[in-house]
Amino acid sequence: MQVTFFSTKPYDRQFFVQVNQEFGHRLTFLEPHLSEHTAVLAKGQEAVCIFVNDLADAKVLEVLAAQGVKLIALRCAGFNNVHLQKAAELGLQVVRVPAYSPYAVAEHTVALILTLNRKTHRAYNRVKEGNFSLNGLMGFDLHGRTAGLIGLGKIGLATARILKGFGCRVLGYDVARHQEADAIGVEFSDLDTLYQESDIISLHCPLTPQTYHLINEASIAKMKKGVMLINTSRGATIDAKAVIKGLKSEQIAYLGLDVYEEEGDLFFEDLSDRVIQDDVFMRLLSFNNVLITGHQAFFTADALQAIARVTLQNITDFEQGRELQNQVLP
Ligand code: NAD
């Protein structure tokens, strides 16, 4: 099948070309994001393959459908960037990769927690310059602390297992009840209790109308003073301006982000020789207790291999008229 990929990087090409030897699709790799302006590049293709910051809104889907595209294959888990209702109206099918490596994201979450706590990023720079002072590097024992996880799906549970290993008490909030959470020893909690009792709060829920700006001035006010806040889910679950206020008042003492609401203009690109225009992002970067990574939680070789295999299998299933295991419906 002919598939055009948007937003590709060398590592995407490497894994997709390698795994495609088993599938035999005809792949075209493009660098631009999918948008209203670039959708025409998919002319004559049966499928497009897109990533987290590609935009498949109603307008874009209309252009794609008019050009003969039949399948939108997301090479990620989240699907908040696709207008599912419009896709259904246009007869476009949407598939995704629901699970590729929850461990990759959970382990990155814990990397953010450990780095913020023990300040290894600051220690690394100090020692390189011959500065062995410990002032300002003090951390706290994770053992015995309470971690609150919002979203207890695959990544939330993988994170819970690791944190249990550290000896944390783990509270969890989810709109669905997962039996596995009980087996791991996660204490199911309402959101207010989670905010009030957690030393660390980590988001693992999808971006939906219900979770948009879930972390806002009101929810931050309910948290423990000195809380650590971690987000590896989607940027818009957090109101960044409210978080900046929380950092200034020291209500939030540590912030770890792998995602950012306006990341589409920033992440995955080398902007080191440009002036970054996003003042909110630059204010976040100015705090020494904020650690930001550029949407790299998924980025392990194991995850990229799995993403390529599941995406190409989704495309083959569509081509052969099989039931779509990973279809996303409105
Ligand atoms: P999942 O579907 O297995 O789990 C999501 C959980 O969130 C489900 O249990 C669901 O019931 C729960 N949920 C839904 N709405 C909620 C709400 N309003 N409040 C609380 N919980 C709610 O998904 P997953 O594989 O664990 O991934 C979670 C999210 O992580 C994805 O949606 C995606 O946005 C993000 N993600 C980020 C990266 C990255 O590289 N940073 C990689 C993969 C996934």
Side-chain angles (χ1 to χ4, degrees), residues 2-21 25-33 41 45 47 49-50 75 308 311-312 315:
Q2 302 217 75
V3 191
T4 286
F5 285 61
F6 285 87
S7 301
T8 60
K9 298 289 177 199
Y11 44 82
D12 294 310
R13 286 169 227 151
Q14 179 196 333
F15 281 92
F16 272 96
V17 166
Q18 182 200 325
V19 177
N20 192 45
Q21 288 172 6
H25 295 296
R26 276 160 291 152
L27 313 182
T28 304
F29 296 103
L30 303 179
E31 286 182 23
H33 288 327
L41 297 171
Q45 302 291 295
C49 182
I50 64 172
R75 53 180 191 278
T311 303
L312 293 169
I315 293 167

Side-chain angles (χ1 to χ4, degrees), residues 71-91:
L71 179 71
I72 312 285
L74 288 149
R75 53 180 191 278
C76 55
F79 47 85
N80 49 286
N81 49 341
V82 182
H83 194 310
L84 294 175
Q85 191 61 46
K86 189 72 186 175
E89 282 165 28
L90 293 166

Side-chain angles (χ1 to χ4, degrees), residues 176-206:
R177 190 75 198 242
H178 296 278
Q179 280 182 349
E180 216 187 321
D182 300 332
I184 297 168
V186 175
E187 295 171 41
F188 209 81
S189 148
D190 58 69
L191 264 184
D192 279 357
T193 308
L194 187 146
Y195 290 144
Q196 283 154 18
E197 296 191 6
S198 299
D199 301 293
I200 300 165
I201 295 176
S202 186
L203 298 177
H204 301 288
C205 51

